[in-house]
């Protein structure tokens, strides 16, 4: 099954799509400007519609995951709905900005890749040549753009202006949904990400042309971190600045950044493209329930109607029940092994009993 055109041309950004609801509000307000009557009714209707949809999504999250467990998620949703923005100029780290914001998460421009939270990055670094091999195959494959969904497409989000016209990405995963077509073109990379249990939300390769860069901006989301694995980079000639800190990419080396800090990049090489594997993933400070609730929210906010929320629950059932089924299967196998072991032990005991009884009869007969 191929991913929809919308999911690739307009990636399901981790900055929640409550903006879709806000756009309805804007359209209604604009319409009122062209009419001299019923202006107040239009505005009230738009605000009530937004409020109803927000309430429906929030209630669905609480009902499924619990009010206590999802308190921060609901607060974050309300924060975004109110068109608020978290802003902080950290003394040593620089400026952090986020409209999609969850409180209580560690904030720093770059995280230590040696942390136990990021063991998967070390594993990817060891297999970076495998990933590089698939990337090189894609770069030299003249038909790959026909075979995949918008391979090497330019950035298409609202912040695309910051990325510039030379930024190119084939997307493998978008808002926790794997693009079946594109991931099949990079099967080993996809398999490694899954095998190493990377808590990924988005996975894609990124190409930056020589003498180009990304302008300073924030990704506006603090609960999703961004990792880069250097694959084919002109070392010493391309860098990423996050907050007040700067990092130069190296081939086979990973870096983890909080891109809610103001960040920018530059490829100073005159002739060489820069290729990296980018994985955007859940902040380790989120609980498992919060991650599930946020994934549910991604689906529900696409269609916050009653039918849409039913569909979001169905998708969540499929995702969240799968590990349980595996666990159930594993538990069943364990029980079978224990039962077999018990039966074997009982049989041995019976055999030993009969042997002892036979010896006793033999002794009596010899007397």
């Amino acid at each position: 099954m191929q991913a929809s055109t919308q999911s690739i041309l307009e990636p399901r950004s981790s900055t929640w799509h409550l903006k879709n609801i806000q756009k309805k509000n804007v359209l209604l307000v604009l319409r009122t400007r062209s009419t001299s009557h019923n202006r107040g009714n239009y505005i009230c209707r738009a605000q009530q519609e937004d409020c109803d949809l927000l309430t429906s999504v929030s209630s669905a999250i609480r009902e499924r995951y619990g009010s206590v467990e999802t308190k921060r998620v609901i607060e974050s949703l309300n924060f975004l709905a109110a068109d608020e923005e978290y802003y902080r100029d950290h003394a040593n780290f620089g400026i952090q900005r986020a409209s999609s914001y969850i409180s209580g998460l560690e904030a720093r421009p770059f995280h230590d890749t040696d942390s136990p939270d990021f063991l998967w990055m070390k594993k990817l670094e060891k297999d970076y040549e495998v990933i590089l091999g698939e990337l090189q195959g894609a770069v030299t494959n003249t038909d790959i753009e026909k075979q995949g969904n918008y391979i090497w497409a330019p950035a298409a989000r609202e912040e695309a202006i910051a990325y510039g016209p030379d930024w190119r990405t084939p997307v493998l995963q978008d808002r926790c949904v794997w693009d079946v077509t594109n991931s099949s073109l990079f099967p080993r990379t996809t398999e490694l990400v899954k095998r190493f249990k990377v808590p990924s939300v988005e996975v894609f390769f990124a190409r930056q042309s020589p003498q180009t860069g990304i302008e300073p901006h924030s990704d506006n989301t603090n609960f999703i971190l961004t990792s880069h694995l250097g694959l084919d980079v002109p070392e010493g000639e391309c860098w990423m600045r996050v907050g007040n800190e700067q990092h130069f990419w190296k081939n086979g080396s990973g870096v983890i950044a909080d891109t809610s800090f103001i960040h920018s990049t530059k490829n100073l090489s005159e002739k060489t493209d820069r290729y990296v594997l980018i994985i955007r993933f859940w902040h380790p400070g989120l609980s498992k329930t919060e991650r599930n609730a946020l994934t549910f929210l991604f689906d529900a906010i696409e269609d916050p109607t009653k039918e849409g929320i039913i569909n979001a629950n169905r998708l969540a059932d499929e995702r969240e029940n799968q590990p349980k089924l595996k666990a159930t299967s594993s538990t069943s196998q364990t029980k079978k092994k224990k039962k077999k072991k018990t039966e074997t032990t009982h049989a041995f005991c019976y055999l030993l009993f009969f042997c002892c009884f036979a010896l006793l009869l033999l002794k009596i007969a010899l007397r």
Side-chain angles (χ1 to χ4, degrees), residues 86-279:
Y86 176 84
Y87 178 95
R88 181 178 176 183
D89 189 350
H90 297 260
N92 298 319
F93 294 150
I95 296 174
Q96 181 186 23
R97 302 179 65 169
S99 53
S100 291
Y101 176 79
I102 286 183
S103 61
L105 300 180
E106 180 184 9
R108 57 175 54 251
F110 290 102
H111 288 253
D112 184 2
T113 55
D114 289 326
S115 166
D117 291 323
F118 312 122
L119 295 177
W120 51 265
M121 174 55 81
K122 293 302 178 184
K123 295 177 181 179
L124 287 176
E125 288 178 339
K126 290 180 180 179
D127 280 318
Y128 109 92
E129 291 185 349
V130 174
I131 302 172
L132 174 61
E134 284 199 324
L135 171 66
Q136 290 172 333
V139 172
T140 57
N141 182 356
T142 57
D143 294 326
I144 195 167
E145 292 188 18
K146 299 177 182 178
Q147 298 169 350
N149 290 320
Y150 301 95
I151 301 294
W152 302 122
R157 295 178 180 149
E158 293 180 5
E159 65 268 25
I161 294 175
Y163 284 72
D166 296 308
W167 174 264
R168 294 289 186 272
T169 62
V171 177
L172 307 187
Q173 185 190 38
D174 189 14
R175 272 199 307 178
C176 303
V177 178
W178 287 95
D179 183 302
V180 177
T181 300
N182 287 359
S183 58
S184 69
L185 297 174
F186 301 89
R188 302 186 73 183
T189 300
T190 301
E191 190 271 332
L192 288 174
V193 172
K194 292 181 178 180
R195 191 208 313 167
F196 297 152
K197 298 181 179 179
V198 182
S200 60
V201 177
E202 299 175 4
V203 179
F204 55 96
F205 293 95
R207 181 180 76 199
Q208 192 170 39
S209 300
Q211 295 291 299
T212 65
I214 296 176
E215 296 299 320
H217 69 288
S218 167
D219 285 346
N220 292 309
T221 305
N222 82 318
F223 52 81
I224 292 179
L225 300 180
T226 301
S227 72
H228 288 197
L229 176 63
L231 298 176
D232 188 3
V233 304
E235 294 187 3
E237 296 183 288
C238 54
W239 50 259
M240 178 183 190
R241 177 180 290 277
V242 182
N244 296 334
E245 301 178 14
Q246 189 176 42
H247 170 84
F248 282 82
W249 285 290
K250 293 182 180 180
N251 289 316
S253 179
V255 62
I256 293 174
D258 183 340
T259 50
S260 64
F261 283 87
I262 301 298
H263 60 284
S264 58
T265 70
K266 192 72 175 180
N267 180 4
L268 299 173
S269 173
E270 295 184 358
K271 298 181 178 179
T272 307
D273 288 329
R274 182 229 61 181
Y275 290 94
V276 296
L277 175 68
I278 297 181
I279 301 177

Side-chain angles (χ1 to χ4, degrees), residues 19-35:
K19 292 179 180 178
N20 289 342
I21 301 174
Q22 292 170 339
K23 286 177 183 177
K24 296 178 184 178
N25 193 351
V26 171
L27 288 174
L28 286 172
V29 171
L30 286 176
R31 194 191 326 172
T32 63
R33 291 178 180 173
S34 63
T35 60

